[in-house]
Amino acid sequence: MEIKLTYTTPDRNVVQRLQKALGCHHVIAGLLVEKGITTADEAKFFLNPDYSRLSTPFELKDMDKAVERIHTAVRNKEKIFIFGDFDADGVTATAMLYQFLSLVEADLSWYVPHRAKEGYSLQLPHIEMAVSMAVDLIITVDCGISSHEAVQAAAREDIDVIITDHHEPGTTIPKAFAVINPKQADCNACLEYLAGVGVAFYLIMGLRKAFRDNGVWEQYPEPKLSEYLDLFAIGTIGDMVPLVQDNRVLCMAGIKRIRMGLRPALVSMARTSRIDMDKLDSDDISFKIVPRLNAAGRISHARICVSHLTCPAPAQTETIATLLDELNRKRQLIEKEIVEDIEQRIAGDPSILENRLIVLWDSKWETSVLGIAASRLARKHVCPVVLLNSKDEIAKGSCRSINQINIHEVLSGTRDLLETFGGHAMAAGLSVRKENLARLKPALTDILALVCTEKDFAPVRKIDAVIKIADITPELVRQIDMLRPFGTGNPEPVFLMENMWVASSVIIGGCHRKMTLKDQREEYQVEALHFNLSDTTCLPEFFPKLLVKLKADRFKQNRVQVIVQDM
């Protein structure tokens, strides 16, 4: 299927004005304008942000009620139970809130459920556990917005529940003591982009002020909020929420914090995943740290990660980091086997791809890795993917979407077939009774036909700018790096190069092509790398169009690498 390239030309006058004000490359000025940044003041803040424009935590609905209740619990030595999720967002949020409340010697415990045995979010058995522990207050992080029954059961046991979450709310909100979720319809904080760890961080912001107002810090040393930004950055980047506004400001500070090497767990993980701490960026977090944190919840138990992230002893964190590395390799192998199984099915039965929707199930598939497998298949086949484990009477699984197709809304239209579902626009979890599995794809197909058009399924690549070899300099790459951290909502720029000739070429590592590219006039040349070629025998010597990213060579100072994306 041919990829459609899209590129909008920013207003030339605005670009020139911004370029002059900043003294930057015209490509950078164009990229800023494309982000809606049109004044020098906006641009300077984007490139060098500080905390001056952060939202106040008390703009979030129920924040005042939550901090007052938690302060009362701390003052009266009530038992507080932090309940988290089992992904990178959830474990960083759990570790963050636990560390903060530990500073004031709160009567505190935390819990993260087993992904396969207990499932997602606060449930009735967890309330029974809280009762047995004589818990007075439950605080959820990165979950709880759909836990109606559990919240009601807690109320019957005289246990207050404070929900902090960022997942899509249903038509009704649990009747908890307080619900902090920026996606509630009546929350006017404009912080919908926060991850679960982001909501937890804003709770800590509110608590720190409330503790200050009530004299708590006269007894205990008041912490700096920057101490928690390493966890904020990992959870936020890991949950693939938009890296815009407050998220961008705090993630930039969080990455700087990680580079300082102050948290033993992250130093150990950097070693096992072969990250250069001095040069760590959002890619290292996305592709190396986060998968290892997620692997624990998928293959073993996510409680390993909370213990790891809060551990002050380097020797212990070295041991756990090695374990997480091993679990991640095991996860990769399981995922590979599932994807290969599905691809073989598609090759043998192309009708699986009918209606631009994949819905498959198998009793042998590991439920915990189905989301990752679905992501890979959705990208390749450019369609939503739903995968389920059908071992038990109630099949459980994950789905991933593409482009602007909101899979959470699509699933909500089939709620009569589902036991449970929840998540985001692009990713969700669900459970279905076995007898309803065969009805699921037709039902989802009917809804997609109503809400989607042909263009929703078209593979699209957005081009940020057209560049020539003469534009590619170390200074341009340095200025591109000022746009980091890259991720959802702030993707790494993709450039279009046209009419490129290959001056020389060699295959390295068995499947990677290292080239020297030249333009038609042969005035300029640049080194380019194309990774993971499926065929190294029929290699083009001319590219009419080439999609690339630009990076600094980590091994050679003042050298630029052109990384080929597509042709």
Side-chain angles (χ1 to χ4, degrees):
M1 191 180 298
E2 185 178 352
I3 298 174
K4 179 182 178 182
L5 303 182
T6 63
Y7 172 58
T8 56
T9 304
D11 186 297
R12 181 177 297 180
N13 292 330
V14 178
V15 170
Q16 290 177 343
R17 187 169 64 246
L18 208 56
Q19 180 185 5
K20 183 177 180 181
L22 298 176
C24 66
H25 197 288
H26 70 88
V27 169
I28 301 299
L31 292 173
L32 290 170
V33 173
E34 278 297 290
K35 295 178 186 295
I37 298 169
T38 58
T39 69
D41 179 62
E42 292 172 331
K44 289 174 182 176
F45 183 80
F46 183 86
L47 297 172
N48 296 286
D50 56 38
Y51 302 142
S52 63
R53 303 185 191 184
L54 290 179
S55 302
T56 170
F58 293 97
E59 292 176 0
L60 284 158
K61 181 177 182 292
D62 280 0
M63 179 63 76
D64 52 349
K65 290 174 62 179
V67 299
E68 183 180 350
R69 179 66 185 90
I70 295 170
H71 172 252
T72 299
V74 170
R75 184 184 64 225
N76 295 335
K77 294 297 180 182
E78 297 180 65
K79 289 186 179 296
I80 301 174
F81 187 54
I82 300 172
F83 187 93
D85 189 21
F86 37 63
D87 65 0
D89 187 14
V91 298
T92 51
T94 303
M96 174 189 290
L97 188 57
Y98 177 76
Q99 283 197 313
F100 179 83
L101 290 176
S102 295
L103 294 175
V104 293
E105 298 181 4
D107 189 348
L108 198 60
S109 58
W110 59 265
Y111 189 81
V112 174
H114 188 282
R115 188 180 196 120
K117 296 177 181 178
E118 298 174 80
Y120 171 73
S121 200
L122 190 68
Q123 299 178 33
L124 293 177
H126 303 130
I127 304 304
E128 295 173 8
M129 179 197 310
V131 171
S132 70
M133 297 166 58
V135 166
D136 300 293
L137 174 63
I138 297 173
I139 308 172
T140 74
V141 289
D142 192 32
C143 64
I145 198 62
S146 59
S147 298
H148 295 79
E149 289 186 12
V151 170
Q152 290 172 359
R156 288 193 295 269
E157 299 291 346
D158 200 27
I159 300 174
D160 287 333
V161 178
I162 294 173
I163 293 172
T164 76
D165 201 352
H166 74 121
H167 292 93
E168 295 290 343
T171 53
T172 60
I173 303 296
K175 295 180 180 179
F177 183 90
V179 179
I180 304 174
N181 184 332
K183 290 180 181 172
Q184 294 179 88
D186 55 350
C187 180
N188 301 314
C190 299
L191 290 167
E192 296 87 350
Y193 49 77
L194 289 179
V197 72
V199 180
F201 181 78
Y202 273 77
L203 175 61
I204 286 173
M205 288 176 68
L207 285 171
R208 190 179 73 148
K209 182 181 186 303
F211 288 176
R212 186 187 306 130
D213 294 343
N214 287 280
V216 174
W217 303 127
E218 295 173 10
Q219 183 180 357
Y220 304 101
E222 181 172 346
K224 294 181 179 179
L225 292 175
S226 60
E227 295 174 18
Y228 306 98
L229 290 181
D230 52 355
L231 298 176
F232 179 99
I234 292 169
T236 298
I237 292 170
D239 217 52
M240 299 179 68
V241 294
L243 296 184
V244 297
Q245 299 180 53
D246 290 16
N247 273 354
R248 172 179 165 77
V249 173
L250 297 172
C251 279
M252 287 184 71
I255 289 172
K256 291 178 182 177
R257 178 87 183 175
I258 296 171
R259 289 173 180 167
M260 293 167 68
L262 299 174
R263 189 176 294 272
L266 300 181
V267 174
S268 300
M269 292 184 76
R271 183 191 60 78
T272 57
S273 53
R274 295 165 292 283
I275 295 173
D276 183 343
M277 283 289 274
D278 294 333
K279 299 177 181 178
L280 176 139
D281 60 22
S282 55
D283 284 349
D284 293 316
I285 293 174
S286 293
F287 301 118
K288 295 182 178 180
I289 292 178
V290 167
R292 285 165 170 78
L293 292 175
N294 283 336
R298 296 183 191 281
I299 306 301
S300 180
H301 201 304
R303 65 184 175 214
I304 298 169
C305 298
V306 180
S307 299
H308 181 52
L309 292 170
T310 56
C311 179
Q316 283 182 256
T317 62
E318 286 289 323
T319 301
I320 301 176
T322 301
L323 171 61
L324 293 176
D325 195 48
E326 293 170 356
L327 291 173
N328 189 50
R329 283 198 293 271
K330 185 176 179 180
R331 185 272 306 169
Q332 290 172 325
L333 181 60
I334 295 171
E335 174 200 339
K336 182 172 180 286
E337 290 172 349
I338 292 174
V339 171
E340 288 177 350
D341 180 14
I342 293 171
E343 291 292 9
Q344 288 174 6
R345 294 190 193 193
I346 293 172
D349 181 10
S351 68
I352 289 173
L353 297 175
E354 284 181 357
N355 301 311
R356 294 175 177 175
L357 171 68
I358 296 174
V359 180
L360 293 171
W361 55 89
D362 195 292
S363 62
K364 300 187 297 294
W365 291 343
E366 179 67 46
T367 308
S368 60
V369 301
L370 292 181
I372 313 174
S375 292
R376 183 177 293 190
L377 292 162
R379 287 194 300 270
K380 178 178 178 179
H381 297 286
V382 199
C383 69
V385 177
V386 182
L387 303 178
L388 301 110
N389 175 288
S390 57
K391 179 177 63 175
D392 301 318
E393 281 306 305
I394 296 180
K396 297 178 181 179
S398 298
C399 47
R400 295 293 185 268
S401 194
I402 58 162
N403 298 340
Q404 301 304 311
I405 299 175
N406 188 322
I407 197 66
H408 187 272
E409 289 184 2
V410 173
L411 285 175
S412 68
T414 65
R415 63 174 71 243
D416 58 318
L417 295 177
L418 307 178
E419 294 299 300
T420 59
F421 77 97
H424 308 289
M426 302 306 294
L430 72 164
S431 62
V432 191
R433 287 196 173 276
K434 260 188 178 180
E435 59 263 31
N436 289 330
L437 284 173
R439 299 169 55 196
L440 186 58
K441 182 170 183 177
L444 292 172
T445 297
D446 289 343
I447 294 172
L448 286 171
L450 289 173
V451 301
C452 298
T453 63
E454 186 75 21
K455 67 179 182 180
D456 291 313
F457 295 93
V460 176
R461 288 299 300 266
K462 183 179 181 298
I463 306 305
D464 293 286
V466 180
I467 60 170
K468 299 178 180 179
I469 289 184
D471 293 319
I472 302 174
T473 64
E475 177 58 23
L476 174 60
V477 173
R478 187 191 69 78
Q479 292 185 26
I480 289 173
D481 282 344
M482 293 178 68
L483 305 177
R484 294 180 182 274
F486 297 132
T488 306
N490 186 42
E492 185 172 359
V494 176
F495 302 104
L496 174 64
M497 300 177 70
E498 298 178 305
N499 300 321
M500 290 291 107
W501 296 85
V502 179
S504 63
S505 169
V506 62
I507 298 298
I508 57 177
C511 60
H512 313 307
R513 189 184 189 191
K514 183 177 180 180
M515 300 175 283
T516 299
L517 300 177
K518 62 182 180 180
D519 59 12
Q520 198 163 8
R521 295 182 179 180
E522 300 189 14
E523 293 182 38
Y524 300 97
Q525 292 187 345
V526 68
E527 180 183 286
L529 294 169
H530 193 179
F531 293 107
N532 300 311
L533 294 171
S534 56
D535 183 1
T536 58
T537 58
C538 301
L539 301 175
E541 296 299 319
F542 171 73
F543 299 104
K545 294 181 184 296
L546 204 57
L547 303 189
V548 303
K549 293 180 180 179
L550 304 181
K551 296 184 182 293
D553 190 323
R554 288 194 172 192
F555 303 103
K556 297 178 182 177
Q557 198 169 10
N558 293 321
R559 286 283 299 273
V560 177
Q561 287 185 329
V562 172
I563 310 299
V564 177
Q565 304 299 295
D566 285 298
M567 296 173 285

